[in-house]
């Protein structure tokens, strides 16, 4: 039988010992020392910053399982200003490169910086197709308002650099205890510098305060909710959008402003068939406005007759000036575009010869639709920002000389 020399046997054993025991032990110790190096968090922060193009802070990094990394106390901020965009209590990077997060909090006032960060991320040369999930997603405003979603999931679809897309869906609380409703959002990079976002909230209620800095006029509807669809476009030519859906309940006095010379107290519903805008200017608005019961000032009725050529019902003559007038229903259809404003009353009344009742009280018409269509925008502005010079002709299309009137006119469709 073949046998090795004793010296050779010792060398073989030494080599085997080094290969089987010493080397793995040294490698294991080296890996442990490297993984627990003091500057590990800094390395990961730099890696995440290069991937996300955001300022990243990580409180702790760990490896709960082989091939996984867990980051705790993650803070995302704008790369230039340092403004906080989001905080995440826990992020787990799985073997398949998917991300599982715990509680994510976003800052609503940083919406445009988030859009910029997302645009840069979608334009990256190493954009991966992956999935992100979050147990809870909370959007907070600086005023203390918050909106909570659960079971959030986002999927990135990897296409060409000029055509990449992220699909997002989550659940929000419904009308009844335990009921959950779905909301969907798709963000697509169409070209260099151009993003399009499609939000489907037709099965859920979206707080309108989230849109305060996006949709013209939305700040005045901050207490309402939207059920509908929203399209937002952001590009080198500026921002634009289209909204379709129902916004309610709207506090009408907050809408026209606490400093308005008129008073109207009601909870209204605004249904947009379409609301189109570019920048801060509305290009086209079409839909209906309805309210069941409320009060309005005598002066508002007079202003609508004077400036928009509405006709007053027979019951108006019985009213006392400077008093609040109770009404049963307000209903109208409107179109406001480049050609002007057209309003049609939709309240049903009996025994009134004038067409198109807009405000009804006691079963009779209190205010009827304007006698003309395509009314110029300055006439609408004069209703809520009265002219100071009473000697001007009633039909004169003058814009009141005030900052309030100018701001309102600049937001409205005009030629």
């Amino acid at each position: 039988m073949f046998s090795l020399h004793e010296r050779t046997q010792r060398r073989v054993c030494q080599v085997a010992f080094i290969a089987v025991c010493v080397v793995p032990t040294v490698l294991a110790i080296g890996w442990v020392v490297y993984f627990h190096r003091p500057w590990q968090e800094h390395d990961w922060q730099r890696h995440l910053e290069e991937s996300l193009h955001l300022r990243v802070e990580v409180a702790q990094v760990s490896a709960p399982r082989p091939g996984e990394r867990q980051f705790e106390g993650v803070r995302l901020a704008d790369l230039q200003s340092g403004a906080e965009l989001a905080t995440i209590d826990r992020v787990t990077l799985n073997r398949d490169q998917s991300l599982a997060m715990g509680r994510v909090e976003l800052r609503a006032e940083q919406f445009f910086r988030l859009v910029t960060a997302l645009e840069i991320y979608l334009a990256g040369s190493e954009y991966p197709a992956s999935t992100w999930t979050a147990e809870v997603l909370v959007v907070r405003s600086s005023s203390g308002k918050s909106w909570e979603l659960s079971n959030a999931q986002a999927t990135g679809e990897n296409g060409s650099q000029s055509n990449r897309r992220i699909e997002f869906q989550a659940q929000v609380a419904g009308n009844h205890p335990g009921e959950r409703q779905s909301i969907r959002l798709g963000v697509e990079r169409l070209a260099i510098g151009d993003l399009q976002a499609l939000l489907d909230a037709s099965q859920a209620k979206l707080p309108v305060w989230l849109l305060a800095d996006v949709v013209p006029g939305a700040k005045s509807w901050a207490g309402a909710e939207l059920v509908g669809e929203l399209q937002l476009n952001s590009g080198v030519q500026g921002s634009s959008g289209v909204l379709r859906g129902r916004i309610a309940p709207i506090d009408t006095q907050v809408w026209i402003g606490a400093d308005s010379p008129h008073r109207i107290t009601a909870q209204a519903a605004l249904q947009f068939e379409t609301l189109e805008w570019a920048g801060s200017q509305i290009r086209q608005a079409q839909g209906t406005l309805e309210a069941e019961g409320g009060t309005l000032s005598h002066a508002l009725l007079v202003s609508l007759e004077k400036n928009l050529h509405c006709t007053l019902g027979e019951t108006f003559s019985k009213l006392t000036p400077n008093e609040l007038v109770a009404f049963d229903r307000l209903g109208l259809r409107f179109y406001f575009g480049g050609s002007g404003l057209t309003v049609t009353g939709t309240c049903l009344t009996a025994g009134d010869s004038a067409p198109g009742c807009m405000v009804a009280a006691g079963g009779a018409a209190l205010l009827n639709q304007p006698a003309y269509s395509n009314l110029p925008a300055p006439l609408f502005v004069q209703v809520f920002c009265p002219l100071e010079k009473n000697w001007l002709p009633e039909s004169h299309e003058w814009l009141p000389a005030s900052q309030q009137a100018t701001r309102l006119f600049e937001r409205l469709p005009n030629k």
Side-chain angles (χ1 to χ4, degrees):
M1 181 179 180
F2 177 76
S3 62
L4 295 175
H5 191 274
E6 183 178 351
R7 182 181 298 177
T8 304
Q9 290 179 353
R10 286 198 301 267
R11 290 179 178 176
V12 171
C13 291
Q14 289 172 352
V15 172
F17 176 75
I18 293 173
V20 177
C21 299
V22 176
V23 172
T25 302
V26 171
L27 291 175
I29 294 174
W31 167 249
V32 171
V33 171
Y34 175 76
F35 183 80
H36 292 283
R37 64 196 183 281
W39 58 90
Q40 178 187 198
E41 285 80 5
H42 179 268
D43 289 348
W44 275 105
Q45 286 177 192
R46 184 175 61 183
H47 173 72
L48 293 173
E49 286 178 347
E50 292 174 353
S51 301
L52 301 176
H53 299 278
L54 295 173
R55 187 175 298 179
V56 181
E57 294 180 7
V58 179
Q60 184 178 349
V61 181
S62 60
R65 298 179 186 84
E68 291 185 0
R69 293 293 180 271
Q70 184 165 292
F71 311 93
E72 296 183 7
V74 180
R75 177 181 177 271
L76 304 180
D78 183 65
L79 199 58
Q80 295 181 344
S81 66
E84 183 176 279
L85 304 181
T87 58
I88 312 172
D89 65 344
R90 182 186 73 258
V91 181
T92 301
L93 176 61
N94 299 310
R95 292 183 177 180
D96 59 358
Q97 300 302 303
S98 64
L99 295 176
M101 295 170 279
R103 182 182 181 88
V104 181
E105 292 195 8
L106 303 178
R107 302 291 179 262
E109 59 272 16
Q110 302 299 334
F111 172 79
F112 289 105
R113 284 195 172 98
L114 284 168
V115 171
T116 301
L118 183 59
E119 179 183 350
I120 295 174
Y121 177 70
L122 289 174
S125 59
E126 297 181 357
Y127 171 76
S130 56
T131 301
W132 307 271
T133 60
E135 297 173 6
V136 178
L137 175 61
V138 181
V139 183
R140 293 193 183 279
S141 70
S142 56
S143 62
K145 295 180 180 179
S146 65
W147 185 50
E148 183 173 306
L149 303 92
S150 61
N151 301 323
Q153 178 175 313
T155 303
E157 299 178 4
N158 194 356
S160 63
Q161 261 188 294
S162 61
N163 188 6
R164 289 172 175 172
R165 183 176 180 85
I166 292 179
E167 289 286 348
F168 172 86
Q169 62 180 358
Q171 294 181 325
V172 297
N175 297 324
H176 306 288
E179 181 184 5
R180 310 300 293 178
Q181 298 173 337
S182 296
I183 188 168
R184 296 178 181 274
L185 173 66
V187 181
E188 186 173 6
R189 184 175 190 263
L190 302 177
I192 297 177
D194 292 339
L195 283 183
Q196 182 180 85
L198 298 174
L199 175 65
D200 182 358
S202 58
Q203 304 299 321
K205 293 182 178 180
L206 180 74
V208 176
W209 60 262
L210 289 171
L211 310 176
D213 296 326
V214 179
V215 181
K219 289 183 179 179
S220 301
W221 313 323
E225 294 176 313
L226 166 68
V227 178
E229 299 177 348
L230 178 67
Q231 175 182 316
L232 297 175
N233 303 293
S234 175
V236 294
Q237 301 298 325
S239 62
S240 62
V242 179
L243 182 149
R244 296 181 179 88
R246 177 182 173 86
I247 298 175
I250 296 174
D251 187 320
T252 52
Q253 190 60 56
V254 173
W255 188 5
I256 68 173
D259 57 348
S260 172
H262 307 303
R263 293 290 175 264
I264 176 168
T265 304
Q267 296 294 309
L270 189 56
Q271 179 76 39
F272 281 115
E273 295 171 12
T274 181
L275 173 64
E276 300 180 15
W277 69 91
S280 60
Q281 183 185 31
I282 296 172
R283 293 293 180 85
Q284 180 181 221
Q286 180 173 336
T288 60
L289 175 65
E290 296 181 341
E292 296 292 340
T295 60
L296 50 76
S297 61
H298 186 278
L300 177 57
L301 294 171
V302 173
S303 183
L304 288 168
E305 178 198 27
K306 174 183 176 181
N307 296 298
L308 291 188
H309 306 285
C310 297
T311 58
L312 297 170
E314 297 178 359
T315 58
F316 178 79
S317 60
K318 303 176 183 179
L319 302 177
T320 303
N322 302 322
E323 73 172 3
L324 289 177
V325 183
F327 65 88
D328 303 327
R329 177 174 170 75
L330 181 152
L332 56 90
R333 288 188 58 82
F334 61 86
Y335 172 81
F336 211 155
S339 59
L341 171 65
T342 299
V343 181
T344 305
T346 59
C347 294
L348 298 177
T349 57
D352 199 303
S353 58
C357 173
M358 296 195 302
V359 181
L366 184 60
L367 183 71
N368 294 302
Q369 69 188 41
Y372 308 101
S373 59
N374 300 327
L375 296 166
L379 297 183
F380 178 82
V381 175
Q382 289 178 27
V383 174
F384 301 100
C385 305
L387 290 166
E388 296 182 2
K389 297 182 179 181
N390 296 324
W391 52 265
L392 288 173
E394 293 184 2
S395 61
H396 214 296
E397 298 173 17
W398 284 73
L399 192 66
S402 67
Q403 292 183 354
Q404 181 184 11
T406 301
R407 286 195 299 267
L408 177 57
F409 179 76
E410 289 176 346
R411 290 202 303 265
L412 297 175
N414 55 74
K415 297 179 181 179

